[in-house]
Amino acid sequence: MDNLKVGLVLSGGGAKGAYQVGVMRALAELGTQIDMVAGASIGALNGAIVASAITPQKAHAHLAQLWDRLAQASPVEFQAFGYLTMLSSAGVALAPTHALDRVLKAARLAAAALDVDLSKSLDRLENSLASDAPLKALMDEYLDPAALKAGLPLYVSLFRSQSPFDDLLRIAAAEAGVVDTPESAYVHVQSLPATEQKAALLASAAIPVIYAAKAIDGKRYSDGGIGGWRTMQGNTPAGALIDAGCNMLIVVHLSDDSPWSRRDFPQATVLEIRPQRAIARDPSLLDHRDLLGFDSTRIPSWIAQGYEDTLACAQRIMRPDAARRALRESEKLLEAKQAQSISNEARLADAMARLRRD
């Protein structure tokens, strides 16, 4: 397909975003074409690195450097009370409905022990639980604004935030089947003013309560993965790339059972890269470490899993596609040589004719 336009969709999932480093290694080795990128949360941050790179090989190299740094020093720093509250927020975001009451009860007990009104504390927080200064520093070091501007089109999902506690309640209602969360907005990062581009990336990764919502065009946005919770509309922002004209999607999931469905996108060919074995390293409902486990014991295993899963999912598709591309290039070269040969023969015949006349 000569008009093939391939979009890479990187879902959110906190520290499990290391999986996407392995995915990019495999895609680079397979010679995969990437024309646009969309990401949510940690996928938005990884997506910015991919979009800024000249080639998939460079994208993998830059991601590998970044995540090696993250494995050595976590970008998440909590205060004492913040750590306890974070356990609650991570549990609400990740736990099934039947565990929600238990999670909230544990959070209330922890807050009561500290003589803190949990709901009022969450409402007034501008995400003082964790500073995004470490993330900003990493972006300044690893993300070149000029390269991003000249790179592949990048789209990120952003969720219109009311307050941290309200955002958590919306997730809880969606988990309980009461009402879905509003859909996330898709934003083309390079179209934003330069002063707001990094803010948009940070906003997409701003997990409620843990990080502060960010102002974009006068509105406050937080973690893009919150939107359209039941179908993962915000957390797997494929729609952004369909709207931009992609007719093939490579969709990378960071959960074992994402409800996102390719059937919602019949207008595109979809290659899904899903974990072939459990990606969760801590199945405990109250354990937040899969979300925030930026450490050397987890990151290398997620990278290796992403690489292995991508080869298993894509190898049989991508290598024939690369072969077809190589064949088309060979055909073009052959056609050019044949045209040159015909031209040479014509000049030779003309020269012989002149000799005979002379």
Side-chain angles (χ1 to χ4, degrees):
M1 186 186 297
D2 292 331
N3 63 344
L4 188 68
K5 187 171 288 188
V6 181
L8 176 65
V9 183
L10 300 175
S11 295
K16 291 180 291 184
Y19 182 94
Q20 294 166 353
V21 182
V23 170
M24 280 307 305
R25 176 189 169 190
L27 293 180
E29 290 180 0
L30 292 166
T32 308
Q33 167 188 336
I34 299 174
D35 298 299
M36 297 184 189
V37 184
S41 198
I42 195 66
L45 301 179
N46 283 342
I49 300 295
V50 174
S52 301
I54 298 174
T55 64
Q57 290 77 12
K58 289 287 187 181
H60 166 252
H62 294 167
L63 281 176
Q65 292 172 5
L66 171 61
W67 281 87
D68 181 66
R69 177 79 164 270
L70 290 172
Q72 304 309 314
S74 171
V76 184
E77 299 174 357
F78 289 102
Q79 302 171 1
F81 170 65
Y83 183 82
L84 292 172
T85 312
M86 175 272 299
L87 289 176
S88 166
S89 65
V92 172
L94 298 178
T97 304
H98 65 267
L100 184 58
D101 289 341
R102 198 187 326 164
V103 173
L104 293 175
K105 185 180 293 183
R108 292 189 187 99
L109 289 174
L114 294 173
D115 193 25
V116 174
D117 186 322
L118 182 61
S119 61
K120 290 183 180 179
S121 297
L122 289 174
D123 271 334
R124 71 170 179 264
L125 282 173
E126 290 301 324
N127 284 9
S128 58
L129 296 185
S131 169
D132 56 14
L135 284 177
K136 288 180 180 177
L138 287 170
M139 290 175 63
D140 289 340
E141 182 175 353
Y142 288 94
L143 183 60
D144 180 358
L148 178 61
K149 180 179 180 180
L152 300 177
L154 172 65
Y155 296 83
V156 300
S157 59
L158 301 174
F159 184 75
R160 183 74 181 277
S161 177
Q162 301 299 321
S163 72
F165 193 57
D166 180 75
D167 293 345
L168 292 183
L169 288 178
R170 289 181 176 188
I171 295 172
E175 282 282 354
V178 177
V179 62
D180 200 3
T181 57
E183 291 194 345
S184 289
Y186 299 138
V187 176
H188 178 228
V189 174
Q190 287 95 338
S191 293
L192 294 172
T195 54
E196 292 188 350
Q197 291 181 8
K198 287 186 178 179
L201 299 177
L202 289 170
S204 187
I207 302 170
V209 177
I210 297 176
Y211 289 118
K214 302 296 178 186
I216 308 294
D217 193 25
K219 301 174 184 177
R220 296 188 66 76
Y221 293 96
S222 61
D223 192 335
I226 298 174
W229 185 263
R230 293 182 187 174
T231 61
M232 296 289 102
Q233 172 269 338
N235 200 51
T236 309
L241 298 186
I242 294 293
D243 294 344
C246 287
N247 50 21
M248 179 174 179
L249 300 178
I250 302 171
V251 180
V252 184
H253 299 285
L254 295 182
S255 62
D256 298 320
D257 54 356
S258 171
W260 186 90
S261 175
R262 69 173 72 190
R263 295 184 180 88
D264 294 332
F265 303 92
Q267 64 273 61
T269 301
V270 179
L271 169 65
E272 289 188 80
I273 299 174
R274 288 182 179 266
Q276 302 297 294
R277 64 180 189 281
I279 194 172
R281 300 296 185 262
D282 289 289
S284 169
L285 294 174
L286 300 183
D287 198 327
H288 66 282
R289 286 175 291 179
D290 276 342
L291 183 68
L292 302 170
F294 294 90
D295 61 62
S296 59
T297 64
R298 300 161 185 274
I299 286 176
S301 71
W302 278 322
I303 293 175
Q305 185 177 357
Y307 177 71
E308 294 164 4
D309 288 348
T310 304
L311 289 181
C313 293
Q315 193 169 31
R316 287 176 295 177
I317 298 173
M318 293 299 179
R319 284 206 167 132
D321 180 68
R324 285 192 295 272
R325 292 176 188 278
L327 179 60
R328 285 197 295 271
E329 291 300 319
S330 298
E331 289 172 345
K332 290 178 181 178
L333 288 174
L334 180 59
E335 290 172 359
K337 288 180 179 179
Q338 288 175 340
Q340 183 64 43
S341 176
I342 292 171
S343 177
N344 290 339
E345 289 175 358
R347 285 197 297 271
L348 179 60
D350 182 63
M352 292 299 293
R354 287 199 302 270
L355 285 173
R356 285 194 295 271
R357 287 196 298 271
D358 294 342

